[in-house]
Amino acid sequence: MNVHHKHWLRFSSHVSPEGTALKNWCLQRGFRECIRAPTRGPHLLDLLLSDVPDLLTTKVLTEVADHSATLCSVCMPPLTFEHSERRLWHFKDANWRSINRRLSQQDWSWIDNSTPDIAVSVLTQMLIYFMTLHIPSVQQNTQVSHPWVTDECLQAVRAKRHAAGTDSFPAAVANCSAVMLNAFKLHANRTRQKLRGFGRGSKKWWKVSHQLLSHVHKPTSSPLKRPDGTWALSAGAKADLFARAFNQKWRLPAPVVNEFSDCSSVMISPRRWQACVIRTRSARAALSSLRQDSGTGPDLLPARVLKQCSASLAVPVAKLARLILRSGLWPLPWREHWVHPLYKKLAVSCPDNYRGIQLTAQLSKVVERLFLQLFSPQLDRFGAYGARQFAYTPGRGARDAVLYFVLQCISAFTSGRRVLLYCSDVSGAFDRVDVPRLLAKLRGFSVPESVVGVLASWLEQRTARVIVQGKHSAPVRMENMIYQGTVLGPPLWNAFYSDSCMAVRATGFEEIVYADDLNAIRSVENSVTDDQAHRMMAECQTSLHRWGAANRVVFDPGKESTHILSRSRPWGDSFKLLGIIFDTRFLMHEAILACLSDCGWKIQSLLRCRRFYNSADILLLYKAQVLSFIEYRTCAFHFASSSVLAPLDAIQHSFLRSLNISDLDALNHFALAPLCARRDIAMLGVIHRSVLGLSPRHFASFFRSAPPPPPRSPRRHARHLADPLQLRAPDFARRSVLGLVSVYNLLPDSVVAAPSVHEFQSCLQALMRDVANSGPDWADLFSCRVPLAHHRLRSCRDWLPPV
């Protein structure tokens, strides 16, 4: 195509107007460039654009004249669909009163004198028996077809095929198209009426919306390639192939003895533990908190039944949990798993590119929650999960981990320092865990021996069957793992992985951990040479690998990397941290480009389905499908320059324009502010969260309370913060959340007095709405990039939110 764009196309000499236009076209329509090598000398001038890049394989061949030929291969063996039969329960016609009455009349004293295996089997059979009596059900065959294809459509298609090669073929084609179009319009009208009947935001409304957006799909319907090159087409053959692939991933490596082999170093000082008491009200709360749409396990007992009968089942479930605690035995019926393959990346035909999602009995998850209450809150309070573990920890999340990393880097850059980064990721986390070592660490954390005994039984060997389109694989043995799809799995992994920070800190680095994703950072003086920095990072990697060898943990070499981050002297390629791309200079070009590429096809999917929705519904889908995707990344590129963020801001403006909605109408009628304003409000919410003491304690060093004001100083609110930046701080630091501290100090008293982050951000949006309806230039009201915004905020000091 002879276009250049050095930021979008890797092998380009400059940025041409044609390259910029083509880049914007691809971003708006969800297309990606698939060639990864130069095609004319050192430049890439022969492009391949596709909206299904994961299905393509490209290769640059020999030259033809002065350009190289390119070969694109699409591997598409025939799709196969097998009809399967399943039992569907009509819960809307269930007689819940009769089921609860029967359960309330039962004498549950027999549980105390039984064994866990018998108690679980009898209770499950009893519930299923009551279901068959009071809940209608039907056996239904699964079918794969377009919902709007009728018998008339099929007859028109047959007529067109029979007319091929005759004079009546044009008329048959026109008739077939008219019949198809009419059937689709009728389907659209029926779907529109159905959506209106469900009510916006209901579960059924979202289910239909996901079907219209093609989110409901079955990647396991694609054929799988065996190691010998043949294809597995039947569901049973695919299930067995998945089972073999998963079984290979579950193998535990041999142990190695080194300085990290002694578990006594991870012990914490003895603490006073609360008594291990399982109460009936806790069982009722655990049953009531179940998600009704959660997957049913091998016992075939739906979560909806347990939730609807929570009051009647609280006593037997509590008795069952106490029985398990006394005996120290986890029931055998709950040691069977169903495994569903979930596609991750790359070719869908390779079983190694899938991960197994394990389905367990819902009743076992309820009992696991009761046991979790016995030890997890106290371990978290004692700091046993690690000071910088952001996953599966109350009050923390992935956004906090990303924001903490960004703040650490910006603070280092502001003081003229470089940041060394070592990224690591565990291969087969959760699936390969040294169980005896985990139990030793739990005892080191002073977990009561009665709870450790139950956990030891819970961690014993289990069996799994992979399910594909209703077909089961042969049973596969599961051992030496923390079982996924369970309630106890995440906190047990945090306890097992917590002492990995010792290996990182021993080399002067600081860890940022999210589950098994460990990133080690270290700030060094700008005078440190690249060779010295590489030796430091190699020492950190070696130390962590030695910890892994002692704990039988393997780190994925394909996901390990080292980088030197600096605004002036960076080193290394771009990297991905928790799904967000960072470049070593922190310019965030690639992150914005990747975000725009994904948002392009998401918005196109919404626009293709807008005939089914009104404006309010399509904007609700936009907020859920696109806006949530963008705002997860806000903490990562909020500090980027305005020119870099401009294409991202244009995404929402273009979408609203296609719906004939102005930015002001979107703010007034649909509570949708421009993206630039939403970024400022989100980051101000981060500051307010820290002021309220709700954020991780690591953010307290960035947002400190200001000292008392001197006499006769200008009036300020009670939550005034000290400016964390110097007077001559660089522009990128002023654009970050640290620069928004000055904006936070200018907010009206009624806004900063909000008792929660949600109310705080609602007040900000209401204030913006008032300013927007009174004049122009309102989108940058809370921006730290525009000096005029500070002047307008000072005039709003006495603003009160509407009641």
Side-chain angles (χ1 to χ4, degrees):
M1 287 189 172
N2 283 358
V3 299
H4 286 269
H5 198 292
K6 61 181 180 180
H7 302 304
W8 174 45
L9 305 174
R10 179 175 301 181
F11 304 98
S12 293
S13 59
H14 62 285
V15 178
S16 66
E18 297 83 4
T20 302
L22 184 60
K23 171 194 170 186
N24 295 334
W25 185 91
C26 291
L27 293 178
Q28 293 175 4
R29 290 161 179 80
F31 278 77
R32 296 184 185 180
E33 203 287 311
C34 302
I35 304 297
R36 292 292 181 265
T39 60
R40 185 179 185 275
H43 299 146
L44 171 59
L45 300 180
D46 303 87
L47 310 181
L48 176 63
L49 307 177
S50 173
D51 58 354
V52 286
D54 295 335
L55 301 180
L56 307 181
T57 301
T58 59
K59 184 178 180 181
V60 177
L61 304 178
T62 57
E63 289 189 357
V64 179
D66 58 342
H67 285 252
S68 298
T70 57
L71 175 65
C72 173
S73 303
V74 185
C75 184
M76 296 183 64
L79 298 180
T80 59
F81 299 98
E82 299 183 21
H83 295 285
S84 60
E85 193 176 76
R86 58 181 300 185
R87 189 174 191 177
L88 300 180
W89 299 93
H90 294 171
F91 290 112
K92 63 179 181 180
D93 299 325
N95 190 348
W96 299 113
R97 181 177 299 179
S98 298
I99 297 178
N100 281 289
R101 184 176 65 251
R102 282 177 173 268
L103 292 173
S104 301
Q105 294 173 353
Q106 297 295 319
D107 181 13
W108 303 108
S109 60
W110 59 270
I111 296 179
D112 299 328
N113 303 319
S114 181
T115 63
D117 297 344
I118 296 177
V120 168
S121 299
V122 173
L123 180 58
T124 302
Q125 293 174 7
M126 182 184 300
L127 291 174
I128 292 178
Y129 174 69
F130 290 158
M131 287 173 56
T132 58
L133 292 179
H134 302 288
I135 303 179
S137 63
V138 62
Q139 294 292 125
Q140 183 174 349
N141 292 327
T142 59
Q143 295 181 354
V144 181
S145 177
H146 292 292
W148 50 271
V149 174
T150 62
D151 293 338
E152 186 180 3
C153 295
L154 297 177
Q155 185 176 358
V157 172
R158 296 190 193 100
K160 183 182 74 171
R161 293 182 60 186
H162 291 158
T166 65
D167 295 339
S168 60
F169 182 68
V173 171
N175 178 67
C176 182
S177 299
V179 171
M180 288 282 194
L181 181 60
N182 183 60
F184 181 78
K185 288 181 178 180
L186 293 176
H187 166 68
N189 292 332
R190 291 193 302 267
T191 304
R192 194 179 299 111
Q193 295 298 326
K194 184 189 297 185
L195 288 170
R196 291 176 181 174
F198 289 153
R200 187 188 311 156
S202 66
K203 177 184 174 182
K204 293 182 178 179
W205 188 90
W206 280 109
K207 182 178 179 179
V208 175
S209 298
H210 287 168
Q211 292 174 349
L212 294 175
L213 293 173
S214 302
H215 285 187
V216 178
H217 61 284
K218 295 182 178 180
T220 52
S221 62
S222 303
L224 297 179
K225 183 175 289 187
R226 297 189 180 94
D228 59 1
T230 60
W231 292 95
L233 301 179
S234 65
K238 297 177 194 175
D240 290 333
L241 197 57
F242 277 125
R244 287 194 292 269
F246 293 154
N247 191 29
Q248 293 178 356
K249 295 180 180 180
W250 296 341
R251 295 178 180 177
L252 194 65
V256 176
V257 178
N258 56 37
E259 67 271 21
F260 295 104
S261 299
D262 186 9
C263 292
S264 60
S265 59
V266 304
M267 293 184 180
I268 60 177
S269 58
R271 304 295 182 104
R272 183 179 178 182
W273 283 73
Q274 299 176 358
C276 298
V277 179
I278 298 176
R279 304 187 183 277
T280 303
R281 62 173 177 266
S282 300
R284 181 172 182 175
L287 289 164
S288 301
S289 62
L290 286 174
R291 288 181 50 186
Q292 296 188 9
D293 57 346
S294 184
T296 303
D299 63 346
L300 301 180
L301 192 59
R304 185 187 295 263
V305 175
L306 301 178
K307 186 179 180 70
Q308 292 289 341
C309 304
S310 58
S312 304
L313 288 174
V315 171
V317 169
K319 285 180 173 290
L320 179 59
R322 295 176 195 138
L323 176 63
I324 295 173
L325 183 62
R326 287 197 308 269
S327 63
L329 298 176
W330 194 254
L332 287 176
W334 290 347
R335 300 189 188 187
E336 182 181 355
H337 290 226
W338 282 351
V339 180
H340 174 72
L342 179 66
Y343 170 70
K344 292 179 62 178
K345 59 181 179 179
L346 302 179
V348 297
S349 59
C350 179
D352 293 332
N353 296 332
Y354 291 74
R355 66 176 299 180
I357 301 299
Q358 301 175 13
L359 300 179
T360 58
Q362 290 292 335
L363 192 57
S364 72
K365 294 183 179 181
V366 174
V367 176
E368 287 178 27
R369 286 189 176 89
L370 298 180
F371 281 106
L372 189 64
Q373 298 173 6
L374 300 180
F375 70 94
S376 181
Q378 302 187 66
L379 283 181
D380 182 52
R381 188 167 57 252
F382 298 162
Y385 293 153
R388 295 180 179 85
Q389 172 63 267
F390 288 87
Y392 317 124
T393 307
R396 302 183 187 182
R399 297 184 187 184
D400 295 323
V402 174
L403 180 60
Y404 181 66
F405 168 73
V406 170
L407 289 176
Q408 289 284 82
C409 294
I410 289 179
S411 299
F413 298 158
T414 303
S415 57
R417 299 171 67 87
R418 306 169 80 190
V419 175
L420 312 184
L421 174 65
Y422 161 56
C423 302
S424 70
D425 194 8
V426 175
S427 177
F430 288 70
D431 294 336
R432 293 186 288 190
V433 174
D434 189 347
V435 171
R437 192 169 181 84
L438 170 60
L439 296 176
K441 292 181 181 181
L442 292 176
R443 291 187 175 96
F445 295 146
S446 303
V447 177
E449 193 60 35
S450 59
V451 178
V452 174
V454 175
L455 295 177
S457 178
W458 184 87
L459 290 165
E460 289 179 355
Q461 177 181 323
R462 301 189 182 191
T463 58
R465 296 177 182 270
V466 180
I467 301 180
V468 176
Q469 298 179 11
K471 303 297 182 180
H472 294 237
S473 70
V476 181
R477 185 174 64 182
M478 304 169 62
E479 59 182 348
N480 287 319
M481 65 169 56
I482 296 176
Y483 306 105
Q484 300 189 40
T486 60
V487 177
L488 295 177
L492 289 180
W493 171 261
N494 278 1
F496 177 76
Y497 200 55
S498 60
D499 61 321
S500 61
C501 64
M502 298 168 51
V504 172
R505 295 176 185 176
T507 59
F509 281 73
E510 176 183 324
E511 79 284 357
I512 299 177
V513 191
Y514 189 83
D516 62 305
D517 190 346
L518 187 150
N519 302 278
I521 62 174
R522 179 177 178 178
S523 175
V524 297
E525 295 292 340
N526 199 30
S527 58
V528 174
T529 64
D530 290 354
D531 291 338
Q532 293 174 331
H534 291 156
R535 284 195 295 270
M536 294 178 185
M537 293 186 289
E539 182 183 0
C540 179
Q541 182 181 21
T542 302
S543 180
L544 185 61
H545 281 197
R546 290 184 64 80
W547 176 92
N551 288 269
R552 305 176 76 179
V553 171
V554 179
F555 292 93
D556 189 350
K559 296 182 179 179
E560 285 188 302
S561 59
T562 55
H563 313 269
I564 302 178
L565 313 181
S566 173
R567 300 289 291 190
S568 57
R569 293 176 53 209
W571 178 90
D573 297 329
S574 300
F575 58 95
K576 184 176 288 189
L577 189 145
L578 296 180
I580 303 174
I581 299 176
F582 288 86
D583 59 280
T584 53
R585 291 187 62 190
F586 259 48
L587 299 178
M588 306 311 293
H589 284 288
E590 296 182 46
I592 300 293
L593 182 63
C595 184
L596 288 172
S597 180
D598 288 326
C599 290
W601 65 262
K602 289 176 181 288
I603 289 179
Q604 289 302 310
S605 299
L606 291 178
L607 294 177
R608 282 196 294 266
C609 298
R610 59 180 170 178
R611 72 181 72 198
F612 298 98
Y613 303 97
N614 54 31
S615 297
D617 291 342
I618 200 70
L619 284 177
L620 178 63
L621 284 171
Y622 168 78
K623 291 180 179 180
Q625 307 293 340
V626 181
L627 198 58
S628 60
F629 178 82
I630 295 175
E631 294 190 333
Y632 167 72
R633 291 153 175 79
T634 295
C635 55
F637 48 62
H638 174 263
F639 62 91
S641 64
S642 300
S643 59
V644 175
L645 291 170
L648 183 64
D649 294 339
I651 280 281
Q652 179 171 301
H653 180 74
S654 176
F655 176 70
L656 293 175
R657 185 174 55 192
S658 63
L659 300 177
N660 295 321
I661 300 176
S662 66
D663 291 339
L664 184 59
D665 290 339
L667 178 66
N668 287 327
H669 303 299
F670 305 105
L672 183 62
L675 287 182
C676 58
R678 294 186 69 91
R679 285 194 298 271
D680 295 331
I681 292 176
M683 292 297 99
L684 287 171
V686 169
I687 299 176
H688 192 67
R689 181 185 173 206
S690 180
V691 170
L692 296 177
L694 302 177
S695 62
R697 61 181 179 85
H698 315 296
F699 294 112
S701 60
F702 298 103
F703 310 111
R704 301 171 183 262
S705 298
R712 298 182 181 180
S713 62
R715 184 173 67 90
R716 67 187 195 186
H717 55 69
R719 290 174 171 171
H720 197 88
L721 299 177
D723 193 344
L725 298 178
Q726 302 174 358
L727 293 177
R728 294 185 178 181
D731 290 341
F732 67 87
R734 287 292 177 189
R735 294 192 300 261
S736 70
V737 63
L738 300 179
L740 280 175
V741 170
S742 60
V743 178
Y744 183 84
N745 292 334
L746 292 174
L747 293 177
D749 299 345
S750 57
V751 176
V752 297
S756 66
V757 178
H758 176 73
E759 294 184 28
F760 171 77
Q761 293 178 329
S762 298
C763 290
L764 291 181
Q765 187 145 324
L767 177 59
M768 172 171 285
R769 190 181 301 113
D770 289 350
V771 174
N773 291 320
S774 62
D777 301 329
W778 50 271
D780 295 324
L781 178 63
F782 306 115
S783 176
C784 54
R785 306 165 187 250
V786 182
L788 179 62
H790 290 197
H791 174 72
R792 302 192 70 179
L793 276 179
R794 291 189 183 96
S795 64
C796 300
R797 289 302 300 267
D798 297 326
W799 178 86
L800 292 176
V803 179

